[in-house]
Each structure stands twice: as structure tokens, then as C-alpha cells.
Amino acid sequence: MNAAVARFAKTAGPPLWLLLELTYRCPLHCVFCYNPTDFANTGPELATADWIRVLREARALGAVQLGLSGGEPLARDDLEEIVAEAHALGFYINLITSGVGMTEPRIKALKAAGLDHIQLSFQDSTREMNDFLSSTRTFELKAKVAGLIRAYDYPMVLNVVLHRLNIDHVGEILAMAEALGAQYVELANTQYYGWAWLNREQLLPSRAQLQRAEAVTRAFRERVGGQMQIYFVVPDYFETRPKACMNGLGSVFLAIAPDGTALPCHAARMLPGLELPNVREADIGSIWYDSQAFNRFRGDDWMKEPCRSCPEKVKDFGGCRCQAYLLTGDADNADPVCDLSPHHGLVTEAVARAERAAAAPAAAPAPSGRAPGLTFRDHRVSIPVVIEEKRT
């Protein structure tokens, strides 16, 4: 570790937000999934004892917020045991789920174990589009799970990922959320990495679609007032400044993949030269403070211009490293979402293609019933990550 890296390692705070991706197994095949596409480069899942050890080490370090995700975390038979241990340690625990695998006995057991919060995903407001986008028949099941969440006195939190194929349905999605008794709704525009990166040309909406969706959301907010909190997350490609990804890598967020790989963000496995540690071989303290992966993007010594001399670097930390890599081939570059980046044209060109595609007549469905050009998530398939310049 060089002197500059050591300096930033010493000043790093604890990993306040811990995400355990318990499994990559998932019954859904979402076209926008953020899980890696190159599943062949992942190892076997951690055992229960390993997850419990991770929880204890992270809590001792100061972690307080725990997310349990996947894949589908309900695919793990030991989920209740993991929740019970996390509760005993004092974590606030959020289960991020498609609902598949949730039954009344199971939600009752999770409630008894100390689960604090459930975020339920929908793909759309109708059975046809919800089931198409996930390539599964799950719409009625999700509605039943929403009823269980209410019955067991959890806050009703819905998440819907938006993209070109469903963003025009925002009004119907919000009406569905209201009918289900949702208290919180996250309309999260797709972030283009993982499987969404493979499908970007089919998923990126037009600016007109985005503006209509925002207007519908504003009108709905005005009507329901404080009965429902709605969060509309604008897609990066339509901004001129990047998001402060994870508040800066190695700042507050620590993810553990199903095979034990420790990640400074969900998608960091793709970044070349990042020496990702594994909890099978190292404790959380040494991973967080001493590993190359978690120190690599701390501070600003790694930054290139225009970020290095930019006064906004303390706000956005250069933006998303994975987006910089996918679009430019170099994770040290400024996030091309920023209009100060010399690579910003890559973003505007992608948006321009989306505008043309949205204006074109819809393509006929494939014989399989799937939309032409879409690649559906499948953990049995491994597709290497390909950066922008090599896609065409």
C-alpha cells in the first residue's frame, strides 16, 4: 500500500451499509438485472456459518444497515437463521425480494426472527407486462405477497424499475401501488450495468418518455399528498452531472457476493485491476481498511482530469466507476454522464439512438413471445462484459 492510499485508509469511516447478496439463484429472468452476466466467474455460495461470521465482524466494525438480496434471497433455506443473528447483533434489516418463495409461514418466521423491512419488486402494473419482463408468471403471486406484508404489519414498500418498455405505464403503476396500500414507492430508472447493459439499446427511454413520466408522478404526488412517498430516480444518461456513486467507493458501502467476494459496489466485479478480496480468506476489518480494492478509489489521487481539479469532486467523487469503465474502457476516467467529460458524447449518442428507437414502429414479437434483441437474465448462462467501443 503506497503512502497516499495508506493515508486515505486510515481516515476511512466504518462500512455503515452492509449488503449481503445471499445467492445469485433467482426464478425471475429480468432484462435489467444488476447481477453479473459472467456467472462462470463466480464461485459456490457461502455456508450459513460464513454469513454469520461476516455479520459479526461487520457489526463489530460499526455496520448498522443490512440489506439481504440476491438473486432471490428467499431461495436460501437459512434466511431466517441469518435474520435472527442480524437482529441479535442490532442491525436494521431490509429484505429485497421478488416475493417468490414468500408464504405465510415464512413471513411469520421472518417476523419472529426480527426482520424490520421488506421491499417488494414489481415489473409493471399488469400481469402481461410484469410476467413478460421477468419471463415468469409471478404477478398474482406478488399481489398476494403484498397482502402478507400488510397483514404482518410491515411498511408497504414497492420497487419498480423503469425503462423504455414500461415507463409510459407510470400512472397505472402508481394506481396499482395505491390499490395495494403502498406507503413508499421507488420508481427506479434502470442503471445500465449487468444485464441492463446488454439490453441498453432496447431499454433506454426517450427524453419525451421520461418527461411524461415525471409529470404523471408529480400530479399523482399532489393528489395523494402524504399518504404515499414516491421516489423517482432519474436515469443517469439524462443528467449533466453524475451521481455520487455509493458516496464514493470505500466510503460507507460494503457488498458481499454469494461466493464471498467483497465489493465496494454491486457491479465492481467487472473492473479490471481491482484485486477483490474474499471473506473466506480475510476478515471484514482487513478487507475494509487494508485491501487494494477498497482503497483503490478512496480520496482523489486516482482521479484524472477534469475531475482532479474540479471543485465538484467533493460532491460526486467522479461519478460511477463502473459506468466510466463500460463507456470508456478506463475506470479512472470521469463518468461520461458529466458534460465536462471529454467522453460525454458517448452518452448523448446513446440517448439519440434511444430517441430514434422510441419513434420507430414497434418490432414484431419473436416466435418465443420475447421482444427482439432482448437478453433475459439466466444464471445458467455466462456472458462476458463488453465495453462500449467493442460492442459495435
Side-chain angles (χ1 to χ4, degrees):
M1 187 184 301
N2 64 40
V5 169
R7 171 167 54 88
F8 289 118
K10 288 179 181 178
T11 59
L16 297 175
W17 179 13
L18 176 66
L19 178 70
L20 303 187
E21 297 179 324
L22 297 175
T23 180
Y24 284 143
R25 289 174 286 152
C26 186
L28 274 59
H29 305 282
C30 299
V31 294
F32 49 76
C33 181
Y34 72 79
N35 282 170
T37 59
D38 53 342
F39 284 122
N41 291 327
T42 64
E45 293 176 11
L46 293 179
T48 310
D50 292 316
W51 287 120
I52 287 175
R53 175 176 53 81
V54 167
L55 286 170
R56 291 171 179 170
E57 291 175 358
R59 187 71 183 98
L61 218 60
V64 292
Q65 177 82 24
L66 175 65
L68 301 174
S69 74
E72 174 48 66
L74 286 164
R76 292 279 304 210
D77 294 334
D78 57 358
L79 180 60
E80 291 83 351
E81 185 176 351
I82 292 169
V83 168
E85 179 66 22
H87 177 72
L89 291 168
F91 281 100
Y92 183 87
I93 313 161
N94 178 25
L95 178 66
I96 303 165
T97 179
S98 69
V100 178
M102 185 67 84
T103 60
E104 185 159 9
R106 195 126 202 229
I107 199 170
K108 184 177 181 180
L110 288 167
K111 187 77 172 182
L115 182 65
D116 296 294
H117 184 280
I118 301 173
Q119 178 182 293
L120 178 65
S121 69
F122 275 80
Q123 279 67 41
D124 206 309
S125 57
T126 67
R127 180 182 69 250
E128 292 76 15
M129 186 57 77
N130 180 90
D131 294 356
F132 164 73
L133 290 169
S134 63
S135 195
T136 56
R137 296 179 179 178
T138 57
F139 185 77
E140 280 84 4
L141 181 148
K142 288 173 180 285
K144 290 177 182 177
V145 171
L148 287 173
I149 292 171
R150 289 197 310 272
Y152 279 82
D153 200 29
Y154 283 105
M156 173 57 67
V157 182
L158 298 186
N159 172 273
V160 182
V161 176
L162 299 180
H163 42 77
R164 186 190 305 162
L165 304 179
N166 70 354
I167 195 168
D168 291 327
H169 308 159
V170 162
E172 292 84 355
I173 289 168
L174 289 171
M176 175 193 72
E178 185 178 25
L180 290 171
Q183 296 159 281
Y184 304 90
V185 178
E186 181 183 21
L187 300 173
N189 275 276
T190 301
Q191 302 297 313
Y192 293 97
Y193 40 73
W195 294 82
W197 174 247
L198 296 180
N199 293 308
R200 187 191 64 182
E201 298 303 304
Q202 290 76 36
L203 296 182
L204 189 65
S206 69
R207 191 174 298 277
Q209 285 183 299
L210 179 64
Q211 291 170 344
R212 287 196 300 268
E214 290 180 304
V216 169
T217 302
R218 283 194 299 271
F220 190 90
R221 280 198 190 107
E222 292 173 3
R223 182 175 71 78
V224 300
Q227 296 175 34
M228 185 190 300
Q229 298 296 314
I230 305 168
Y231 304 94
F232 190 98
V233 183
V234 177
D236 290 358
Y237 281 48
F238 292 89
E239 300 282 18
T240 57
R241 290 291 185 274
K243 64 178 180 286
C245 187
M246 301 303 168
N247 205 40
L249 298 195
S251 174
V252 296
F253 178 81
L254 167 63
I256 308 297
D259 61 4
T261 302
L263 303 163
C265 87
H266 314 74
R269 193 189 288 266
M270 75 174 75
L271 298 179
L274 210 58
E275 299 167 14
L276 295 169
N278 194 292
V279 299
R280 299 181 196 271
E281 300 153 0
D283 64 85
I284 295 298
S286 62
I287 287 171
W288 182 254
Y289 289 109
D290 302 329
S291 70
Q292 182 264 5
F294 281 82
N295 283 295
R296 174 69 174 79
F297 295 107
R298 283 181 174 143
D300 57 12
D301 286 357
W302 59 270
M303 290 182 178
K304 294 183 176 181
E305 294 295 348
C307 294
R308 181 170 290 207
S309 59
C310 180
E312 295 182 40
K313 67 183 178 183
V314 297
K315 298 178 182 179
D316 58 36
F317 310 101
C320 177
R321 297 301 88 221
C322 296
Q323 199 153 256
Y325 170 65
L326 286 172
L327 288 167
T328 75
D330 186 347
D332 289 357
N333 280 333
D335 186 336
V337 163
C338 183
D339 63 5
L340 299 176
S341 165
H343 304 285
H344 184 61
L346 294 168
V347 172
T348 58
E349 289 166 10
V351 171
R353 290 196 299 275
E355 301 283 355
R356 293 192 293 271
S368 64
R370 292 181 168 185
L374 283 173
T375 302
F376 286 74
R377 178 201 190 276
D378 189 340
H379 67 269
R380 299 164 300 179
V381 174
S382 189
I383 303 174
V385 176
V386 178
I387 62 174
E388 179 82 343
E389 67 179 23
K390 296 181 180 178
R391 284 161 64 112
T392 57

